[in-house]
Amino acid sequence: MGNKILIKGGEVADGSGKPLFGADVLIEDDKIKGISDVGTFDADPQLEVIDAGGMVVCPGFIDMHGHSDFVISVDGKMSPKLRQGVTSVVIGSCGFSAAPMDEKMKKLFLKFASGMFGKECPFEWSGMGEYLERLRKRGIGANIFPQVGYGNLRGMVRGMVPGAPSEAQLEKMKSLLARALDEGGRGFSTGIAYPPQNFSTKEELVELCGTAASHGAAIYSTHIRNEMGGLVGAVEEAIDAAKKTGVSLQLSHHKAVLTRNHGLIRQTLEMIEKANKEGVEVEADVYPYDSFSNMLAPLLFIKEPNREDKIILLQLQHYPDFEGMTLGEAAKELRKSPERAAIQMLRREGIVKIPIAARYMSEEDVRCVISHPLVSIGSDGVESFGRKAHPRLHGTAVRVLEHYSMKEKVISLEEAVRKMTSMPAAKLKLDRRGVLREGYYADVVVFDPKRR
């Protein structure tokens, strides 16, 4: 007889979006054995009983956009996910994945990306298969959906060199992608706002999306080329690639950045709707905050009203007292202009250091996107070996439920759960996950909706 757990007397949000209903949930080993009226299973003396009276019982949450690749190769606990009820995570997002990898790409990563993702990842592998085998042996706390990052492919083949790839180089990238997908990669991702990915051509991306589709990638997720004034054109580019190749498109952390672009999101949501009516599979995800995260240096070249009050410093080695301050507050401490203060800190910390959060987004836009039926939830949370991070790493699922559902009533509780369970599970083609149903995997969350 297997291990049995009874979750008794809770209000069940089964992930489908239908209204809450009172029920007991019986688990045996790693599967849901049954869901029935309260009291149905009480006679079995072998049960371990969890009293869920007054609480909500739902499927484990699925984070549609994560950056856990590098941490879990060293520390697989995944506590920032599990503590908020996340039991499955999409990794390899924005074109940054732990595999495939070679010495050239490792050097590029350490030089340009370690400020965001940390430098502790050992990269003791080359292919996706080796990376996934390392994780299996080490053990990890949650399920993962690994994507193959375009940044890795281009970095390995062309380094940081601008321009279109040669025919031979493009074939090499396609070969690397195909192999990684055949070895266990489940999706293909790009972050074509970042170098060297921003050197890509539309034709190159279409070719790679075609390879992804033909080798069974469940999704093509993209941090599009431009989330500012070029937002509409960037969404059009992504949809066009999906239309030409048949790949299932996921627009990552969908938003409009900079005050002058607020409101554009309504046009892009209409584009997503139109594409689906035309038979193109397109969805998006969003995180429940009006600030994005990046590094300080690039933001010094972008004009935004009162930017010194909208940039929040997250992690500094030489100026730890400034952590949590805005750039304006740090500038006052240094008795310099915001620009000169930023330059001084960057010289001391390093040009690719100083992660920040920037409140360049519109709360109205966030509410609009989060309420759209074709938008799921992704944290974009970066786990970087204990470094301070944007609150979305630790609080995305909780904020969706507590703030946007129960407090602000932007979406119902049942819809909030659907956006974090059955909707992403269907998009990712996950087997028997995302819904509480007999025979499905027992990824289950119990939470108290009254607790604040």
Side-chain angles (χ1 to χ4, degrees):
M1 181 180 292
N3 296 321
K4 292 185 177 181
I5 299 172
L6 175 65
I7 303 175
K8 180 179 179 181
E11 290 293 308
V12 173
D14 68 1
S16 69
K18 74 179 185 181
L20 294 169
F21 60 94
D24 287 351
V25 178
L26 179 63
I27 297 169
E28 186 170 342
D29 294 329
D30 65 344
K31 301 290 195 311
I32 296 173
K33 184 71 172 177
I35 301 173
S36 190
D37 294 339
V38 176
T40 302
F41 306 111
D42 283 356
D44 190 338
Q46 302 296 320
L47 293 177
E48 175 187 345
V49 178
I50 297 174
D51 184 358
M55 300 187 186
V56 174
V57 183
C58 67
F61 303 133
I62 300 169
D63 186 343
M64 273 298 285
H65 187 97
H67 291 282
S68 303
D69 312 51
F70 311 104
V71 166
I72 59 177
S73 69
V74 177
D75 179 357
K77 291 193 293 292
M78 302 182 75
S79 56
K81 303 299 180 186
L82 294 173
R83 286 176 178 172
Q84 56 182 308
V86 172
T87 57
S88 298
V89 185
V90 176
I91 62 173
S93 302
C94 295
F96 299 104
S97 61
M101 183 63 59
D102 63 7
E103 285 303 313
K104 179 195 292 185
M105 186 59 205
K106 180 178 179 180
K107 289 176 182 177
L108 288 175
F109 178 90
L110 292 173
K111 184 174 182 180
F112 296 105
S114 61
M116 178 65 75
F117 299 112
K119 59 183 179 181
E120 292 88 344
C121 183
F123 295 115
E124 294 172 343
W125 54 82
S126 56
M128 179 65 74
E130 294 173 81
Y131 169 67
L132 295 177
E133 183 59 27
R134 179 187 177 94
L135 298 185
R136 290 187 190 98
K137 289 181 177 179
R138 179 171 293 278
I140 53 176
N143 307 304
I144 57 167
F145 180 96
Q147 299 182 100
V148 185
Y150 168 57
N152 296 56
L153 307 180
R154 209 173 210 272
M156 291 168 71
V157 174
R158 280 185 64 86
M160 295 295 286
V161 179
S166 67
E167 185 175 339
Q169 288 173 331
L170 179 56
E171 288 302 315
K172 178 64 174 176
M173 283 191 275
K174 291 166 66 176
S175 175
L176 287 168
L177 173 57
R179 179 178 177 182
L181 291 169
D182 292 344
E183 290 180 354
R186 300 290 302 280
F188 171 50
S189 81
T190 63
I192 49 177
Y194 302 116
Q197 302 180 65
N198 61 336
F199 302 139
S200 63
T201 65
K202 293 180 181 180
E203 295 75 18
E204 174 185 347
L205 293 175
V206 168
E207 287 284 328
L208 288 164
C209 283
T211 298
S214 66
H215 282 263
I219 60 168
Y220 163 50
S221 73
T222 179
H223 177 150
I224 55 177
R225 201 176 294 275
N226 191 309
E227 295 179 326
M228 296 181 279
L231 175 66
V232 172
V235 170
E236 185 176 28
E237 176 187 16
I239 291 175
D240 184 60
K243 188 179 297 185
K244 288 178 177 176
T245 63
V247 75
S248 182
L249 174 63
Q250 183 75 12
L251 298 171
S252 300
H253 43 61
H254 201 45
K255 58 183 176 289
V257 176
L258 302 180
T259 300
R260 58 184 177 271
N261 302 315
H262 294 169
L264 279 178
I265 212 75
R266 285 156 181 77
Q267 184 176 345
T268 56
L269 290 173
E270 290 176 0
M271 294 168 67
I272 294 171
E273 293 170 6
K274 182 174 182 290
N276 277 277
K277 289 176 182 177
E278 294 172 350
V280 185
E281 293 183 13
V282 187
E283 291 181 8
D285 53 71
V286 66
Y287 47 79
Y289 297 89
D290 64 359
S291 59
F292 65 87
S293 183
N294 209 300
M295 308 306 289
L296 176 60
L299 269 66
L300 300 182
F301 300 95
I302 301 173
K303 293 182 179 180
E304 168 71 1
N306 305 311
R307 66 178 179 178
E308 65 272 14
D309 300 322
K310 299 178 180 179
I311 296 174
I312 302 165
L313 306 171
L314 298 180
Q315 179 88 36
L316 300 103
Q317 180 180 352
H318 300 287
Y319 301 90
D321 292 343
F322 294 173
E323 291 175 357
M325 287 187 180
T326 65
L327 175 59
E329 291 167 339
K332 288 179 181 178
E333 292 291 322
L334 293 173
R335 298 183 181 180
K336 295 180 181 292
S337 70
E339 291 75 17
R340 289 185 176 277
I343 291 169
Q344 176 176 319
M345 289 187 287
L346 287 167
R347 282 175 174 166
R348 190 95 188 273
E349 299 282 331
I351 195 68
V352 294
K353 306 291 183 180
I354 313 186
I356 55 88
R359 304 194 71 176
Y360 283 21
M361 298 157 58
S362 159
E363 172 62 19
E364 185 177 348
D365 279 0
V366 174
R367 295 164 73 96
C368 178
V369 178
I370 210 169
S371 63
H372 196 281
L374 292 173
V375 176
S376 56
I377 306 299
S379 70
D380 200 11
V382 178
E383 294 178 74
S384 53
F385 303 91
R387 292 171 179 78
K388 293 180 176 64
H390 191 295
R392 64 193 182 187
L393 171 62
H394 301 275
T396 286
V398 175
R399 183 167 169 81
V400 169
L401 294 167
E402 192 277 331
H403 183 75
Y404 286 102
S405 176
M406 290 182 280
K407 182 180 178 182
E408 295 295 319
K409 312 295 184 185
V410 174
I411 49 177
S412 69
L413 180 62
E414 294 88 342
E415 178 66 356
V417 171
R418 184 188 77 87
K419 285 175 174 287
M420 295 190 287
T421 56
S422 67
M423 182 181 179
K427 182 70 174 181
L428 300 170
K429 298 179 174 60
L430 300 183
D431 179 40
R432 291 175 290 170
R433 300 190 193 274
V435 180
L436 294 185
R437 186 174 296 164
E438 185 175 339
Y440 276 46
Y441 287 102
D443 299 344
V444 183
V445 170
V446 180
F447 67 90
D448 185 351
K450 300 181 293 298
R451 195 170 175 186
R452 296 290 190 270

